[in-house]
């Protein structure tokens, strides 16, 4: 009864394989079970079919457990939301449209991707970005930036669907409908990644396609030749069935997909989106990493880093004059200077500037307190003699990677301001962690001038930096590296697209807020932090080791069992060893779900 009941399901799967005109393990198992029953070994037939079905169930459990880790993310987004215009009524999140403002109370989940327009709080973003601690959030000052899209909104103002609000009540303006939220797209992309077959999976399929017919030929040989030599047919038949069971590569078939899916699920929980087994395996083999500079190793926006007055007693005058002029400009450097100076004069009146004019490629001119003002680089002062102290200060700052602004007012030089796109706080630690993982070649590729590139590289611990590169030049550098190394390129997913595509695996930073980064990279680091990179590489390497362990083990079991069964080991032992190897392979793959992120020192 057991053999027949379980055999119905095995027969169904075998018939589907026959209709698809492919050789499959189910066919071997069904033939072996029928053969054992035919010669009266019903207990062996039942044991084979029950354990084979149990192995299938364990495979399904492994796959479903990995998928559940992803599906749980999608369920984190609340089903309803409160609109500001009618907070007493809850509406479905699917009815929200861009521009709606929703109220989120303390300890509630954010219903949609958007920007905080009222209130401040701390949000647990771990479901989306893998960030381990809550992130402080404040209301955006200029809604004009928000209307452009999520990419234009600073991280401290963004809120993602499914993340958990902290102690403060906030109002969030919806910037993406439910189907387009970061969480929804991550779940969709991971589901698509499950269908992507890795190189090892393709190789395994080819092996199985050749191995199964070879096994069937061996079984036919064992059925025909020994009886011709005088052996009883029942003994030859039982031996042939045992060989059939022993040679069926169930563990081999599940070895790679179980490990790949478990690793993809674990990566997604850490805020790392891996688009299939191919990128995962490629990342596990890289021994060189190429970094973009702006927005990857650095914050991606300039800040005021240096204030160098000619006379220390003139520092306040230097800053007030610079603030008066620069706050009338929308240039990124002007915004950096304004943002850096304004807090120092929050309670003091700042003089008004007038007649401010931008001189292309040089700086600004204007008037403050009735006196002429010039703020810019050396080219702006081509008609004025610049003192040696200004030259010395400027050269020193530029050697340190700063962009310099010389300030001249009331017929005298007040000093020099230094502006720089500063390295991320975790950049040096991430680079050190990559070296600890055994990455032998770490380079930086930048479009900035060589002096700036070298300065930033020194600050983050990279000794090989190349500046002044156009996108085509970065592509050439990646090709050069790929001659001797497996290369991973990490950038912002926009202007680095050619280099990302040319590398063995391309990774995009901060993809939670960027549609382009999510679509262009092989692997997307959803959080805007470099510490995700060592985690991604470490997990990929662990997955590669797990795949190899599973393959060697499954092939080893087959290599031992085939000669053992030919020598006379019974079908019961073959069944137990065969299905036991499947259990071991599945359990080994599931260990990837518990992978611990490497600690940055």
């Amino acid at each position: 009864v057991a053999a027949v009941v379980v055999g119905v399901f095995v027969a169904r799967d075998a018939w589907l394989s026959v209709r698809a005109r492919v050789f499959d393990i189910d066919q071997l198992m069904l033939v072996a079970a029928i053969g054992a029953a035919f010669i009266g070994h019903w207990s062996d037939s039942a044991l084979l079919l029950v354990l084979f079905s149990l192995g299938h169930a364990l495979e399904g459990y492994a796959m479903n457990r990995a998928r559940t880790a992803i599906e749980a993310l999608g369920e984190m987004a609340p089903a309803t939301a409160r609109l500001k215009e009618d907070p007493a009524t809850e509406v479905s999140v699917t009815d929200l449209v861009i521009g709606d403002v929703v109220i989120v109370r303390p300890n509630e989940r954010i219903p949609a991707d958007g920007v905080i327009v009222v209130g401040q709080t701390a949000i647990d973003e771990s479901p989306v970005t893998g960030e381990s601690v809550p992130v402080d959030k404040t209301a955006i000052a200029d809604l004009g930036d928000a209307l452009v899209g999520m990419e234009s909104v600073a991280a401290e103002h963004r809120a993602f669907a499914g993340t958990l609000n902290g102690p403060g009540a906030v109002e969030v303006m919806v910037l993406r409908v439910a189907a387009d939220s970061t969480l929804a797209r991550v779940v969709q992309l991971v589901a698509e990644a499950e269908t992507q077959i890795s190189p090892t999976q393709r190789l395994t399929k080819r092996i199985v396609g050749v191995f199964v017919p070879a096994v069937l030929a061996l079984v036919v040989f064992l059925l025909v030749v020994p009886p011709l030599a005088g052996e009883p047919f029942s003994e030859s038949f039982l031996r042939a069935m045992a060989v059939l069971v022993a040679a069926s590569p169930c563990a081999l078939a599940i070895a790679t997909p179980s490990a790949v899916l478990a690793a993809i699920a674990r990566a997604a929980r850490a805020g790392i989106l891996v688009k299939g087994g191919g990128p995962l395996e490629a990342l596990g083999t890289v021994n060189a990493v190429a970094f973009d500079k702006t927005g990857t190793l650095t914050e991606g926006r300039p800040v005021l880093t240096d204030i160098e007055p000619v006379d220390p007693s003139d520092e306040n005058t230097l800053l007030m004059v610079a603030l008066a002029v620069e706050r009338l400009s929308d240039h990124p450097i002007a915004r950096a200077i304004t943002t850096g100076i304004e807090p120092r004069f929050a309670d003091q009146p700042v003089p008004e500037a007038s007649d401010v004019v931008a001189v292309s490629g040089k700086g600004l001119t204007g008037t403050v307190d009735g006196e002429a003002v010039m703020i810019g680089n050396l080219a702006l002062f081509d008609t004025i003699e610049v003192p040696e102290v200004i030259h010395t200060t400027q050269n020193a700052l530029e050697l340190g990677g700063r962009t310099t602004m010389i300030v001249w007012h009331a017929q005298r030089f007040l000093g020099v301001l230094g502006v720089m796109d500063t390295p991320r706080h975790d950049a040096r630690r991430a680079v050190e962690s990559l070296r600890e993982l055994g990455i032998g070649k770490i380079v930086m590729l930048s479009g900035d001038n060589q002096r700036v590139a070298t300065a930033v590289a020194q600050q983050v611990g990279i000794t090989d930096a190349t500046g002044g590169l156009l996108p085509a030049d970065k592509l050439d550098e990646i090709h050069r590296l790929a001659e001797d190394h497996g290369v991973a390129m990490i950038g912002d997913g926009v202007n680095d697209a050619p280099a990302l595509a040319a590398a063995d695996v391309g990774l995009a930073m901060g993809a939670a807020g960027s549609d382009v980064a999510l679509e262009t990279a092989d692997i997307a680091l959803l959080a805007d932090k470099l510490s995700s990179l060592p985690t991604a590489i470490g997990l990929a390497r662990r997955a590669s080791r797990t795949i190899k362990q599973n393959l060697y083990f499954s092939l080893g079991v087959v290599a031992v069992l085939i000669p053992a069964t030919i020598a006379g080991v019974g079908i019961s032992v073959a069944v137990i060893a065969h299905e036991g190897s499947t259990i071991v392979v599945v359990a080994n793959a599931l260990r990837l779900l518990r992978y611990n992120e490497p600690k940055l020192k």
Side-chain angles (χ1 to χ4, degrees), residues 357-553:
V357 177
V359 182
S360 181
K362 297 181 180 181
L364 299 171
T365 64
T367 302
V368 175
D369 292 335
E371 298 285 352
V373 176
M374 299 171 70
I375 304 177
N377 55 36
L378 276 175
L380 186 63
F381 301 94
D382 54 358
T383 61
I384 301 174
E385 184 179 353
V386 180
E388 186 61 31
V389 63
I390 294 294
H391 279 292
T392 301
T393 302
Q394 186 215 31
N395 287 335
L397 291 177
E398 288 189 348
L399 282 173
R402 273 66 168 173
T403 297
T404 57
M405 292 287 109
I406 301 168
V407 181
W408 179 87
H409 176 242
Q411 305 300 313
R412 65 193 183 102
F413 286 91
L414 296 178
V416 184
L417 301 177
V419 173
M420 186 180 186
D421 181 11
T422 56
R424 294 175 182 270
H425 71 280
D426 58 349
R428 175 174 280 274
R429 289 184 296 159
V431 170
E432 292 172 353
S433 186
L434 290 178
R435 289 201 174 96
E436 291 172 4
L437 285 171
I439 300 297
K441 185 75 171 178
I442 301 176
V443 303
M444 185 180 79
L445 308 177
S446 175
D448 272 345
N449 66 68
Q450 186 63 51
R451 182 179 289 183
V452 172
T454 300
V456 172
Q458 288 176 347
Q459 292 182 52
V460 300
I462 295 177
T463 57
D464 190 346
T466 305
L469 299 176
L470 297 174
D473 300 323
K474 290 185 179 181
L475 185 61
D476 292 338
E477 289 293 321
I478 292 297
H479 285 149
R480 184 180 60 79
L481 279 172
E483 293 176 0
D484 302 311
H485 306 276
V487 183
M489 171 72 188
I490 177 166
D492 59 14
V494 185
N495 59 348
D496 298 311
L500 290 173
D504 294 289
V505 57
L507 301 97
M509 278 284 293
S514 170
D515 292 325
V516 176
L518 270 177
E519 297 300 329
T520 58
D522 299 313
I523 297 175
L525 308 182
L526 300 178
D528 203 21
K529 58 178 186 178
L530 280 172
S531 56
S532 296
L533 181 58
T535 299
I537 293 178
L539 177 59
R541 289 186 170 183
R542 179 70 61 82
S544 295
R545 288 198 298 271
T546 300
I547 290 171
K548 289 178 182 178
Q549 291 166 1
N550 285 352
L551 291 177
Y552 293 153
F553 178 76

Side-chain angles (χ1 to χ4, degrees), residues 43-102:
S43 58
D44 288 332
S45 177
L47 179 65
L48 169 60
L49 292 172
V50 169
L51 288 183
F52 181 65
S53 298
L54 178 61
H56 264 316
L58 287 170
E59 293 171 20
Y61 169 76
M63 296 300 191
N64 288 332
R65 182 172 173 186
R67 290 190 183 101
T68 299
I70 300 302
E71 292 169 356
L73 294 177
E75 295 171 359
M76 287 183 176
T80 60
R82 299 183 195 87
L83 288 174
K84 181 180 180 181
E85 60 192 36
D86 185 13
T89 304
E90 293 189 352
V91 300
S92 172
V93 294
T94 58
D95 294 332
L96 295 176
V97 297
I98 295 174
D100 281 345
V101 177
V102 297

